C-alpha cells in the first residue's frame, strides 16, 4: 500500500472533519484571516485567466521557469481546482476549502513570498499558483536552515587518481565531460545574512541553486498557517493536500527529459541526467552523482551513491560465486557420493523407509539421482571457501562504504548536518498543547504529549508490531502444515505401487521437490499479501507515535518495517535451514507436529537444495513484483492520464502543466527503495552458503535497478523536493547487524544444513575410528554409512505402511543409529556424537576466525580518509578566520587609545581590502 492510498483515506477524513464543523456551525465565526493581504491576493486570482498574448508566449516558451514578467523565477507550484466553476451538492465543504486556501496564500504573502496565478491551457477549472522567493527571503531562510555556501575556492591539491594512466580507456565509462562539466570546488560555511560580503556571490540569480530554493520554499509552505480558530493554529501544505484544498504541490523540472531547453541560462539538468544516466544506452557508465545531488538533493544522491557502490562491490562477490558454482557443476558427475546414489548396484539396491504414515510407500535411493547431482553443485568444498569469503567481503563492503560516505559528506556539505538543530515536523508542531522545560536551553517549550502519554503511544506501537510478527509466524506454521499434507499427497501419487516401479513418474520430479516448489510459491504469495497489509499498519503506528523530526519518523518506520520484513521474508528460509529434518525421530518412533502431522524429513543429501529453491523463488519473484509495482504502474498511470487530458496539437503546454501530468513521488518512495535493497542484501549474505549464485543474480538485478530507478524519477515523476541527508540513516546499523548475523547463519548452514561436516568426519576418520568399509582417504562407502537400518516389523500400527513389498525385511533412513538386534538398537552411534562435536567445533572456529578478521579490518581501515580530514580542518579554519576573526579585527581597529590611557570608540571607515587577511 503506497502513500497515494494513505492520502485518499486522509482526504476522506478531512472531508468528514469539515462536514462535522459545519454541522456545529463553526464555519467562519471565530476564524481570523490576514485581511491586509486579501485584497492583493484576490487581485492575483482575478488576473489568473490566460490571455491570448500569454498563450502565444507559452507557445514560444513552453519551458519557461519564470513569472509572466520573465524575471522572477518559479520556485514552487501549487495546483487547485476552482470549485466555483463546478456544481457541487456539498457547497459548504468547498467554501471551507476556499477559505483555507485564501488564508494560506495570504499567509505566504505576509511571509514575503510572491505569488502569481494562471489557469490551465487544457482545463479552465484548474489553476496554477506560481511561488517565487525574493532575495531577502532566500537569505533569511538560508540562514535558518544552515545552508552551507562557498566562501573560497578549494586550494588543496587533490590526490591523483591511480587510474589516470588508463584514462584513454576509463573515460568511456564516465559521463560525457562535454555535457556534464566538472564544477569548481569551494570551501563552504553556513550562510549568515549579515556577512554576505564574505561569500562568493558573483550572480544573485544563481547563488542559490534551484534545489536550495525549492527546499526553502517547501520549508515555508510546510509552516504557513491556513486556519486559526481561537488558540488552535493549523498549518502546513501537507494537510491541505490531504484535505483536497490543493490537488498538487511540487517544484518544477527545468526542461523536458528528452529535449534540451531553449530558455536562456537554463542548464537543462534533467535532460543531461536522462542522456548520461537514465537512458538505456548509458547503462555501462558511472553515475553523475554530483549532478544527481545538485538536481534532486543530498538524500536522493546518497541513495544512488550507496546503490552504485553496493553494485560495484557485488561484482567481486559475483565472480567468486560464479567460480564456486562452475566448480560444483563440473564436479557433480565425479562426486563419489553422487555416483553411489545413482549406481544401480548401490543406490538401486537400497530401499528407503516411507517418509509419512500409512499412505507413503517404500522407495529406492537412486530415484533421487538427479536431485543428488544438483545438490553437489551447491554442497561442495568450494561452498565452504565461498562462505568464509563472503563473511570477509561484507566487512570490506561496510568499511569501504564508510570511507566513501565520508568523502561524500565533505563534498556535499553534510559533515555537520546532524549537529545542527533539525526543525520539528509540521504534524508534530500542530499538536503541541503541553508545556515542558527543555533540559538543554532551560526554556519551556510546547510538546504534543506528556511522559505518560508517550509511554502509552510507544506501548501500543510495540504491541501492534508483536501482534503482526505472531501473525507471520502463524502463517509459517500454516505453510508447514501444508508442506506435510502436500508431501503426503505427492508421495502417494509420485511413488510407484510395486518393486518394479519404485522410481518417480518423472525423472526430475520427486515428492520433496514438488512440495518445495509449491510451498515456496505459496509462501511468496503470503509474503506479498502480508507486506501490503503491514505497510499500512506500520505507517499508522508511526503517525500515532508522533515523532518530533523527520529523521526520527523515518528511523522509527525503518525499524518497524525492517523487523517485520525480516521475519516475513526470512522465516521460511530459517525453517528450512535450521528446523526441517532436525527433529524427526526414526521410523519406529516419529515426531509429530500438533500431535497429528509427522515432521518433515530431508532428502538423503540434506535440505540444502530445498533452501536453494526457496531462495531462488523468493528473490526472483520479489524482483519481478517490484519492477511491476515501481515501473509499469507509474508508466501506465501517466499514459492513461495523458490520454484522458489530450489536447489539440496547436496548443503547447507550459512547463508547470507538463509536470502536473506526471506522477507525484511518494513521501516514502526512497524508503521502499532502501528496504528492497537491504532485504536483497540479507539474501546475499545470510544464506549465501546455500546459494553461491545469489551475488550474481543480485548484481544483474541492481544493474537494471539503478537505470530503472533513474529512468523512473527522471521521466515518470514530478521533481522531488530536495532534502538534506548526511548518510543512509538507520539502514547503516541494520546492515551492520545483518553482516554480524550472516557469519553465524552461514557457519550454521554449512554445519547443520549441508552434508559437509559428516563427509569430512568420514573422510578423515579412517586412521582413528574407521566408519564403514573404507581404509584410506576416500569417500567410498559414505552413502551406506550415513543411512541407518530399520526393521519393518518394528513399525507402529499407526504409522505402518498399508502396502509393503513381500521380500523386504528392512529399510534405510537418514540418521546415525545402531541397527536392529544391537543391544542399543535405534540409539545414536559414536559416529553421530563425533559429527555433532565436529559441527560445534567448526562453528566456533569459523566464527572466531571471521570475527577476528572483521575486527582487524575495521581497525586497519579508517572510516574517514586522511585527505578528507585535512580538507575538513582547512574548511573549519577558513570559516573561523573569514567569518569570525575578521569581526575581532574590526573591533580592534575601532577601539582607539587616548592620551590619558583610556580607550575611546572612534569611527573608522575600513575598506574591503583592509578587512582581508593574509592566509
Amino acid at each position: 500500500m503506497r502513500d497515494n492510498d494513505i492520502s485518499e483515506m486522509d482526504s476522506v477524513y478531512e472531508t468528514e472533519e469539515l462536514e462535522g464543523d459545519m454541522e456545529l456551525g463553526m464555519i467562519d465565526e471565530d476564524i481570523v484571516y490576514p485581511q491586509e493581504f486579501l485584497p492583493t491576493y484576490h487581485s492575483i486570482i482575478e488576473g489568473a485567466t490566460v490571455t491570448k498574448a500569454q498563450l502565444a508566449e507559452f507557445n514560444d516558451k513552453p519551458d519557461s521557469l519564470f513569472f509572466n514578467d520573465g524575471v522572477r523565477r518559479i520556485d514552487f507550484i501549487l495546483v487547485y481546482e476552482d470549485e466555483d466553476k463546478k456544481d457541487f451538492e456539498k457547497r459548504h465543504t468547498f467554501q471551507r476549502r476556499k477559505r483555507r486556501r485564501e488564508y494560506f496564500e495570504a499567509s505566504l504573502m505576509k511571509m514575503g513570498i510572491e505569488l502569481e496565478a494562471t489557469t490551465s491551457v487544457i482545463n479552465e477549472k484548474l489553476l496554477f499558483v506560481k511561488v517565487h522567493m525574493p532575495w531577502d527571503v532566500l537569505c533569511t531562510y538560508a540562514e535558518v536552515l544552515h545552508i552551507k555556501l562557498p566562501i573560497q575556492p578549494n586550494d588543496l591539491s587533490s590526490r591523483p587518481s591511480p587510474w589516470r594512466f588508463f584514462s584513454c580507456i576509463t573515460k568511456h565509462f564516465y559521463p560525457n565531460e562535454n555535457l556534464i562539466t566538472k564544477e569548481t570546488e569551494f570551501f563552504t560555511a553556513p550562510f549568515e545574512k549579515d556577512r554576505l560580503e564574505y561569500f562568493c556571490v558573483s550572480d544573485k540569480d544563481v547563488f542559490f541553486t534551484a534545489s536550495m530554493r525549492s527546499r526553502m520554499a517547501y520549508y515555508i509552505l510546510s509552516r504557513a498557517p491556513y486556519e486559526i480558530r481561537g488558540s488552535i493554529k493549523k498549518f502546513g501544505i501537507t494537510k491541505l493536500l490531504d484535505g483536497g484544498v490543493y490537488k498538487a504541490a511540487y517544484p518544477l523540472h527545468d526542461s523536458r527529459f528528452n529535449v534540451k531547453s531553449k530558455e536562456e541560462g537554463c542548464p537543462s539538468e534533467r535532460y543531461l541526467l536522462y542522456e548520461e544516466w537514465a537512458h538505456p544506452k548509458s547503462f555501462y557508465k558511472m553515475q553523475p552523482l554530483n549532478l544527481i545531488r545538485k538536481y534532486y538533493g543530498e538524500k536522493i544522491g546518497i541513495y544512488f551513491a550507496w546503490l552504485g557502490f553496493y553494485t560495484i562491490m557485488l561484482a567481486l562477490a559475483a565472480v567468486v560465486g560464479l567460480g564456486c558454482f562452475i566448480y560444483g557443476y563440473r564436479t557433480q558427475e565425479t562426486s563419489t557420493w553422487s555416483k553411489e546414489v545413482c549406481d544401480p548396484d548401490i543406490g538401486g539396491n537400497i530401499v528407503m523407509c516411507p517418509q509419512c504414515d500409512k499412505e507413503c510407500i517404500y522407495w529406492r535411493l537412486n530415484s533421487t539421482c538427479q536431485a543428488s547431482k544438483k545438490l553437489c553443485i551447491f554442497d561442495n568444498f568450494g561452498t565452504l571457501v565461498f562462505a568464509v569469503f563472503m563473511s570477509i567481503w561484507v566487512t570490506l563492503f561496510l568499511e569501504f562504504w564508510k570511507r566513501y560516505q565520508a568523502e561524500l559528506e565533505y563534498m556535499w556539505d553534510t559533515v555537520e548536518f546532524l549537529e545542527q538543530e533539525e526543525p520539528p515536523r509540521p504534524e508534530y508542531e500542530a499538536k503541541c498543547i503541553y508545556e515542558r522545560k527543555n533540559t538543554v536551553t532551560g526554556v519551556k517549550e510546547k510538546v504534543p504529549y506528556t511522559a505518560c502519554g508517550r509511554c502509552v503511544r510507544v506501548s501500543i506501537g510495540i504491541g501492534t508490531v508483536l501482534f503482526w510478527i505472531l501473525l507471520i509466524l502463524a502463517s509459517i506454521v500454516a505453510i508447514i502444515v501444508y508442506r506435510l499434507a502436500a508431501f503426503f499427497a505427492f508421495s502417494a501419487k509420485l511413488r510407484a505401487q510395486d518393486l518394479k516401479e519404485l522410481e518417480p513418474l518423472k525423472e526430475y520430479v520427486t515428492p520433496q521437490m514438488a512440495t518445495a516448489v509449491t510451498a515456496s510459491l505459496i509462501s511468496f504469495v503470503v509474503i506479498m499479501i502480508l507486506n501490503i497489509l503491514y505497510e499500512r499498519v506500520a505507517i499508522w503506528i508511526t503517525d500515532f507515535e508522533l515523532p518530533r523530526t523527520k529523521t526520527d519518523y523515518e528511523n522509527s518506520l525503518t525499524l518497524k518495517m525492517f523487523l517485520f520484513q525480516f521475519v516475513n521474508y526470512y522465516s521460511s528460509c530459517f525453517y528450512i535451514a535450521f528446523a526441517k529434518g532436525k527433529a524427526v525421530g526414526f521410523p519406529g518412533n516419529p515426531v509429530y507436529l500438533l500431535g497429528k502431522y509427522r515432521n518433515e524429513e530431508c532428502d538423503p543429501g540434506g535440505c540444502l537444495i530445498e533452501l536453494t529453491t526457496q531462495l531462488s523463488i523468493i528473490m526472483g519473484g520479489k524482483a519481478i513484483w517490484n519492477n511491476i509495482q515501481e515501473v509499469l504502474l507509474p508508466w501506465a498511470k501517466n499514459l492513461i492520464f495523458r490520454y484522458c487530458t489530450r489536447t489539440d496539437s496547436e496548443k503547447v503546454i507550459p512547463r508547470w502543466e507538463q509536470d502536473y501530468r506526471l506522477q507525484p513521488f511518494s513521501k516514502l518512495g526512497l524508503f521502499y527503495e532502501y528496504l528492497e535493497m537491504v532485504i536483497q542484501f540479507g539474501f546475499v549474505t545470510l544464506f549465501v552458503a546455500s546459494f553461491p549464485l545469489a551475488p550474481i543474480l543480485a548484481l544483474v538485478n541492481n544493474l537494471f535497478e539503478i537505470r530503472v530507478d533513474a529512468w523512473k524519477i527522471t521521466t515518470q515523476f514530478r521533481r522531488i523536493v530536495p532534502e538534506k541527508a548526511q548518510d543512509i540513516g538507520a539502514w547503516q546499523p541494520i546492515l551492520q547487524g545483518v553482516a554480524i548475523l550472516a557469519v553465524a547463519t552461514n557457519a550454521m548452514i554449512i554445519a547443520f544444513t549441508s552434508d559437509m561436516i559428516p563427509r569430512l568426519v568420514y573422510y578423515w576418520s579412517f586412521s582413528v575410528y574407521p566408519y564403514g568399509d573404507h581404509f584410506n582417504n576416500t569417500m567410498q562407502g559414505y552413502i551406506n554409512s550415513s543411512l541407518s537400518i530399520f526393521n519393518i516389523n518394528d513399525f507402529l500400527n499407526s504409522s505402518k505402511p498399508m502396502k509393503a513389498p513381500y521380500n523386504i525385511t528392512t529399510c534405510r533412513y537418514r540418521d546415525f543409529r545402531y541397527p536392529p538386534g544391537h543391544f542399543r538398537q535405534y540409539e545414536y552411534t559414536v559416529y553421530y556424537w563425533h559429527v555433532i562435536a565436529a559441527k560445534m567445533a567448526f562453528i566456533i572456529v569459523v566464527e572466531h576466525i571471521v570475527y577476528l578478521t572483521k575486527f582487524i579490518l575495521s581497525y586497519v581501515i579508517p572510516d574517514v580518509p586522511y585527505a578528507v580530514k585535512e580538507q575538513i580542518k582547512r574548511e573549519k579554519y577558513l570559516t573561523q578566520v573569514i567569518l569570525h576573526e575578521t569581526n575581532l579585527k574590526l573591533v580592534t581597529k575601532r577601539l582607539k587609545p587616548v592620551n590619558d590611557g583610556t580607550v575611546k570608540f572612534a569611527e573608522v571607515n575600513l575598506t574591503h581590502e583592509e578587512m582581508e587577511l593574509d592566509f
Side-chain angles (χ1 to χ4, degrees):
M1 190 66 64
R2 299 303 188 196
D3 263 4
N4 292 340
D5 302 321
I6 305 299
S7 297
E8 289 175 7
M9 287 197 65
D10 289 341
S11 179
V12 173
Y13 171 78
E14 181 76 9
T15 303
E16 291 175 353
E17 176 192 356
L18 294 174
E19 292 173 352
D21 287 350
M22 284 179 284
E23 289 176 4
L24 295 173
M26 299 169 61
I27 300 299
D28 299 316
E29 301 158 356
D30 51 355
I31 300 177
V32 182
Y33 293 94
Q35 299 294 330
E36 67 273 20
F37 285 92
L38 285 179
T40 308
Y41 167 75
H42 285 302
S43 65
I44 291 173
I45 301 303
E46 289 170 1
T49 306
V50 179
T51 64
K52 291 183 178 180
Q54 291 173 338
L55 187 59
E57 185 179 353
F58 294 155
N59 291 340
D60 293 336
K61 297 181 179 181
D63 289 328
S64 175
L65 305 176
F66 296 90
F67 278 22
N68 292 339
D69 57 15
V71 177
R72 292 174 292 176
R73 181 181 296 273
I74 301 172
D75 297 316
F76 227 84
I77 290 290
L78 304 175
V79 186
Y80 69 91
E81 193 168 13
D82 189 358
E83 293 90 357
D84 292 337
K85 297 181 181 180
K86 298 184 73 175
D87 184 21
F88 290 104
E89 296 179 1
K90 301 178 181 179
R91 297 290 298 179
H92 294 294
T93 300
F94 297 104
Q95 285 296 324
R96 183 60 172 274
R97 288 181 179 176
K98 182 179 179 181
R99 289 286 187 181
R100 288 186 167 185
R101 184 167 55 249
E102 289 178 352
Y103 187 99
F104 180 73
E105 295 180 8
S107 299
L108 291 177
M109 295 174 65
K110 188 175 181 179
M111 298 168 74
I113 301 298
E114 296 179 3
L115 306 177
E116 183 178 85
T118 182
T119 55
S120 168
V121 300
I122 299 175
N123 182 1
E124 63 178 9
K125 297 184 179 72
L126 277 182
L127 276 86
F128 294 85
V129 180
K130 308 170 194 175
V131 177
H132 170 73
M133 298 184 66
W135 172 256
D136 289 340
V137 177
L138 287 172
C139 291
T140 300
Y141 283 94
E143 188 170 356
V144 169
L145 294 176
H146 304 280
I147 294 178
K148 299 183 77 174
L149 291 161
I151 54 174
Q152 178 180 308
N154 191 334
D155 55 4
L156 294 181
S157 58
S158 59
R159 187 175 299 177
S161 171
W163 302 102
R164 64 187 184 279
F165 300 109
F166 306 97
S167 59
C168 58
I169 299 175
T170 58
K171 68 178 182 180
H172 299 291
F173 296 94
Y174 286 86
N176 189 342
E177 293 183 357
N178 296 325
L179 293 176
I180 303 178
T181 57
K182 188 176 181 181
E183 297 184 356
T184 305
E185 293 185 8
F186 286 90
F187 289 118
T188 60
F191 183 78
E192 295 182 36
K193 190 176 180 180
D194 295 336
R195 297 186 174 94
L196 181 62
E197 64 271 17
Y198 303 121
F199 291 87
C200 301
V201 186
S202 58
D203 186 353
K204 288 185 177 181
D205 291 336
V206 296
F207 181 62
F208 296 105
T209 64
S211 62
M212 291 178 185
R213 298 172 71 106
S214 299
R215 182 183 164 212
M216 288 186 276
Y218 187 74
Y219 180 86
I220 296 173
L221 291 172
S222 299
R223 284 156 179 80
Y226 62 82
E227 184 176 285
I228 296 179
R229 184 187 293 120
S231 61
I232 300 175
K233 184 178 181 180
K234 298 184 179 181
F235 53 87
I237 187 65
T238 304
K239 276 295 183 183
L240 295 179
L241 289 170
D242 293 341
V245 177
Y246 287 101
K247 296 179 72 69
Y250 51 89
L252 287 180
H253 283 296
D254 63 356
S255 67
R256 283 168 283 182
F257 71 87
N258 55 352
V259 179
K260 194 170 184 179
S261 176
K262 297 180 181 178
E263 289 292 315
E264 184 179 353
C266 180
S268 296
E269 292 172 346
R270 184 190 186 194
Y271 168 78
L272 297 179
L273 285 172
Y274 177 73
E275 287 293 317
E276 295 297 311
W277 180 47
H279 198 286
K281 70 179 182 181
S282 302
F283 76 94
Y284 61 92
K285 293 184 178 181
M286 302 293 287
Q287 301 183 88
L289 292 176
N290 287 328
L291 185 58
I292 296 170
R293 172 252 179 173
K294 181 181 178 183
Y295 192 74
Y296 289 115
E298 288 78 9
K299 195 167 187 178
I300 296 291
I302 200 74
Y303 164 72
F304 281 103
W306 176 81
L307 181 56
F309 185 84
Y310 171 46
T311 303
I312 291 173
M313 290 294 292
L314 272 176
L316 176 62
V319 170
V320 179
L322 183 61
C324 177
F325 176 80
I326 293 173
Y327 169 78
Y329 185 82
R330 292 176 67 95
T331 58
Q332 63 174 328
E333 299 292 341
T334 59
S335 172
T336 303
W337 55 87
S338 178
K339 283 199 228 177
E340 290 186 350
V341 170
C342 298
D343 192 338
D345 297 329
I346 301 177
N349 289 328
I350 296 178
V351 179
M352 302 296 295
C353 297
Q355 292 182 304
C356 64
D357 298 336
K358 297 290 186 179
E359 294 292 336
C360 291
I361 60 176
Y362 298 92
W363 51 285
R364 295 199 182 274
L365 181 61
N366 65 348
S367 65
T368 62
C369 175
Q370 293 301 323
S372 178
K373 289 182 179 180
K374 292 177 184 176
L375 178 64
C376 292
I377 299 175
F378 302 101
D379 191 5
N380 54 67
F381 297 113
T383 305
L384 172 60
V385 176
F386 184 58
V388 175
F389 166 81
M390 286 300 294
S391 299
I392 306 300
W393 174 89
V394 73
T395 303
L396 291 174
F397 164 67
L398 292 175
E399 292 303 318
F400 283 126
W401 164 247
K402 288 179 185 177
R403 288 174 59 85
Y404 185 48
Q405 185 173 253
E407 295 178 15
L408 293 177
E409 286 176 15
Y410 172 73
M411 288 192 301
W412 294 354
D413 297 323
T414 59
V415 174
E416 298 177 352
F417 173 65
L418 292 182
E419 296 177 8
Q420 302 165 2
E421 179 68 18
E422 186 177 358
R425 295 165 57 237
E427 294 84 355
Y428 177 92
E429 292 179 317
K431 296 187 178 181
C432 289
I433 57 176
Y434 300 101
E435 282 191 352
R436 184 187 64 183
K437 186 176 180 180
N438 190 311
T439 56
V440 178
T441 63
V443 179
K444 288 187 177 182
E445 61 181 11
K446 292 280 189 178
V447 293
Y449 37 65
T450 61
C452 181
R454 175 160 179 77
C455 290
V456 171
R457 289 171 181 266
V458 173
S459 300
I460 292 175
I462 293 174
T464 307
V465 172
L466 291 177
F467 168 78
W468 277 87
I469 289 177
L470 292 175
L471 186 63
I472 297 173
L473 298 179
S475 70
I476 296 300
V477 172
I479 292 173
I480 292 173
V481 172
Y482 163 80
R483 297 171 71 96
L484 300 175
F487 180 77
F488 178 87
F490 284 128
S491 296
K493 296 291 183 182
L494 297 180
R495 301 294 187 193
Q497 304 299 320
D498 52 57
L499 272 175
K500 294 181 180 180
E501 300 178 350
L502 285 179
E503 307 236 339
L505 295 177
K506 295 183 179 180
E507 184 180 5
Y508 297 98
V509 179
T510 63
Q512 291 90 345
M513 183 57 66
T515 303
V517 171
T518 56
S520 298
L521 291 172
I522 293 173
S523 178
F524 173 73
V525 172
V526 172
I527 286 171
M528 291 296 104
I529 293 174
L530 289 176
N531 272 348
I532 292 172
L533 296 175
Y534 183 75
E535 281 179 13
R536 193 164 188 164
V537 173
I539 293 171
W540 177 84
I541 296 171
T542 311
D543 288 339
F544 178 73
E545 290 177 355
L546 207 60
R548 183 176 184 271
T549 64
K550 187 167 185 179
T551 300
D552 295 338
Y553 182 91
E554 292 179 350
N555 290 345
S556 177
L557 183 62
T558 296
L559 182 61
K560 292 181 182 66
M561 285 296 297
F562 179 77
L563 182 62
F564 173 83
Q565 296 222 5
F566 183 91
V567 179
N568 197 19
Y569 277 108
Y570 302 144
S571 53
S572 58
C573 297
F574 275 104
Y575 163 73
I576 295 173
F578 307 122
K580 182 182 176 182
K582 303 302 184 291
V584 296
F586 60 94
N589 186 24
V591 177
Y592 290 91
L593 177 67
L594 304 177
K596 179 180 179 181
Y597 299 99
R598 180 171 168 177
N599 274 5
E600 285 185 282
E601 298 180 23
C602 294
D603 278 335
C607 287
L608 196 69
I609 191 67
E610 188 172 343
L611 179 58
T612 304
T613 303
Q614 180 85 0
L615 288 170
S616 303
I617 291 176
I618 293 180
M619 283 188 69
K622 185 174 181 294
I624 294 171
W625 174 256
N626 285 333
N627 284 325
I628 292 174
Q629 196 174 25
E630 296 176 6
V631 179
L632 291 182
L633 289 182
W635 176 79
K637 287 179 180 178
N638 284 336
L639 192 66
I640 294 170
F641 186 78
R642 282 195 295 268
Y643 177 79
C644 295
T645 59
R646 65 188 185 279
T647 182
D648 300 334
S649 58
E650 296 179 357
K651 290 185 179 180
V652 177
I653 304 174
R655 171 82 270 135
W656 48 85
E657 197 155 353
Q658 292 179 43
D659 286 4
Y660 177 68
R661 301 170 78 182
L662 299 175
Q663 289 294 305
F665 192 77
S666 168
K667 289 184 291 185
L668 297 175
L670 204 59
F671 168 81
Y672 293 114
E673 302 295 344
Y674 271 118
L675 184 61
E676 176 187 352
M677 288 296 104
V678 172
I679 292 297
Q680 182 204 85
F681 179 81
F683 282 121
V684 168
T685 54
L686 291 174
F687 306 101
V688 73
S690 65
F691 192 32
L693 287 180
I696 195 169
L697 293 181
L699 174 64
V700 173
N701 176 78
N702 288 6
L703 290 174
F704 282 100
E705 183 75 18
I706 291 175
R707 305 303 163 177
V708 165
D709 285 350
W711 175 84
K712 179 177 64 177
I713 69 171
T714 306
T715 66
Q716 302 301 307
F717 287 94
R718 297 169 190 158
R719 188 169 182 175
I720 303 165
V721 179
E723 294 183 59
K724 275 278 189 182
Q726 185 182 35
D727 47 35
I728 60 175
W731 300 110
Q732 184 81 22
I734 287 175
L735 291 174
Q736 292 172 343
V738 171
I740 294 172
L741 182 61
V743 178
T745 56
N746 284 297
M748 293 175 67
I749 286 173
I750 292 174
F752 294 108
T753 309
S754 77
D755 219 21
M756 186 74 62
I757 303 303
R759 291 173 192 165
L760 289 174
V761 172
Y762 183 85
Y763 184 80
W764 293 105
S765 63
F766 77 97
S767 59
V768 180
Y769 199 106
Y771 306 110
D773 300 327
H774 79 307
F775 296 98
N776 51 21
N777 290 100
T778 66
M779 294 301 298
Q780 185 178 357
Y782 169 74
I783 291 297
N784 187 61
S785 70
S786 65
L787 299 175
S788 299
I789 303 173
F790 181 76
N791 190 334
I792 63 174
N793 293 323
D794 293 334
F795 270 117
L796 298 176
N797 290 331
S798 59
S799 60
K800 187 174 183 179
M802 297 176 63
K803 298 178 182 179
Y806 61 91
N807 60 347
I808 290 181
T809 57
T810 61
C811 61
R812 310 294 293 272
Y813 61 98
R814 175 185 167 85
D815 213 338
F816 303 107
R817 295 178 184 268
Y818 289 109
H822 193 278
F823 73 96
R824 296 178 59 189
Q825 68 174 3
Y826 302 137
E827 294 183 11
Y828 289 119
T829 64
V830 176
Y831 186 16
Y832 170 82
W833 297 111
H834 286 179
V835 169
I836 291 295
K839 288 180 177 180
M840 299 306 297
F842 172 82
I843 292 174
I844 294 172
V845 171
V846 169
E847 282 188 354
H848 280 70
I849 291 175
V850 173
Y851 283 135
L852 178 62
T853 307
K854 287 166 70 72
F855 173 77
I856 293 173
L857 289 174
S858 301
Y859 180 79
V860 170
I861 302 173
D863 291 346
V864 182
Y866 175 78
V868 174
K869 287 182 179 178
E870 292 299 308
Q871 290 181 327
I872 292 174
K873 290 178 181 178
R874 172 69 172 161
E875 185 170 275
K876 287 184 176 180
Y877 169 76
L878 289 175
T879 302
Q880 183 70 23
V881 170
I882 294 177
L883 298 185
H884 299 287
E885 291 189 7
T886 301
N887 288 342
L888 294 178
K889 189 173 180 180
L890 267 171
V891 172
T892 303
K893 287 190 175 185
R894 289 186 177 185
L895 293 176
K896 186 177 179 180
V898 191
N899 293 335
D900 60 0
T902 60
V903 178
K904 181 180 179 181
F905 180 79
E907 291 292 341
V908 180
N909 294 324
L910 299 178
T911 64
H912 182 68
E913 288 75 12
E914 289 176 319
M915 287 164 35
E916 288 183 347
L917 298 177
D918 185 13
F919 301 118

